[in-house]
Amino acid sequence: MKTYVLNGVNLGRLGTRQTDVYGLTSYATLAASCVQWGKEVGLDVECRQTDAEHELVQWLHQAADEHAPVVLNPGAWSHYSYAIRDACAILTAPLVEVHLSNIHAREEFRHHSVVSAVATGVICGLGVDGYRLALSHIAIRLN
Ligand code: DQA
């Protein structure tokens, strides 16, 4: 079974986008690291990123059909996309929501995620390490 690491809007720009907030790790490096971290804990990880909301919804449907665990950073969609939230609510395996930055210490509109209430858990503010922790948690849960 796959474990999906799904990244939403603007996350393909990691490494060059607001590096003071999101760090210097590029999206390509993050994706490769997620595959490697997954291997280390026995997970077959597939990492994807999209700027198209409907595409993320389709990927979540695929994960739901496969009963696959998901690590999800929805980017700005976290704060307002009921479509992403509803797709997350269909998942049956663990869903860990990850944010690189501490959304609670930033602008007020970022303090609330509409996805969090349907996630198994949320990690924010730990940079790319949040993805590693999410994957290791999923591995523990599956065993
Ligand atoms: C983010 C936080 C969001 O508020 C923002 O829109 C992003 C990235 C994070 O990883 O910290 O695009 O999800």
Side-chain angles (χ1 to χ4, degrees):
M1 181 176 56
K2 291 267 181 206
T3 295
Y4 292 104
V5 176
L6 304 180
N7 293 282
V9 61
N10 292 314
L11 288 161
R13 293 276 162 165
L14 281 183
T16 52
R17 167 196 185 207
Q18 292 182 273
T19 53
D20 52 324
V21 178
Y22 299 117
L24 289 166
T25 304
S26 68
Y27 175 73
T29 299
L30 172 68
S33 298
C34 285
V35 171
Q36 178 56 33
W37 290 327
K39 259 189 205 141
E40 286 166 15
V41 294
L43 299 177
D44 180 9
V45 167
E46 189 168 319
C47 196
R48 301 177 182 173
Q49 187 274 330
T50 184
D51 293 323
E53 191 179 12
H54 73 276
E55 190 165 38
L56 182 54
V57 168
Q58 287 166 351
W59 291 346
L60 289 163
H61 290 172
Q62 184 189 353
D65 289 344
E66 295 172 16
H67 301 285
V70 174
V71 174
L72 174 65
N73 184 346
W77 290 326
S78 318
H79 311 302
Y80 65 88
S81 175
Y82 299 121
I84 300 294
R85 177 203 169 107
D86 284 351
C88 287
I90 305 170
L91 297 169
T92 52
L95 165 66
V96 183
E97 179 184 353
V98 170
H99 299 281
L100 294 152
S101 64
N102 180 355
I103 55 174
H104 303 290
R106 300 183 62 197
E107 302 96 321
E108 202 165 341
F109 76 88
R110 296 186 203 274
H111 294 183
H112 183 66
S113 163
V114 299
V115 171
S116 299
V118 295
T120 309
V122 183
I123 298 171
C124 79
L126 304 183
V128 293
D129 204 36
Y131 289 79
R132 186 184 62 77
L133 293 166
L135 289 166
S136 96
H137 177 77
I138 284 171
I140 288 165
R141 270 197 175 236
L142 294 186
N143 281 322

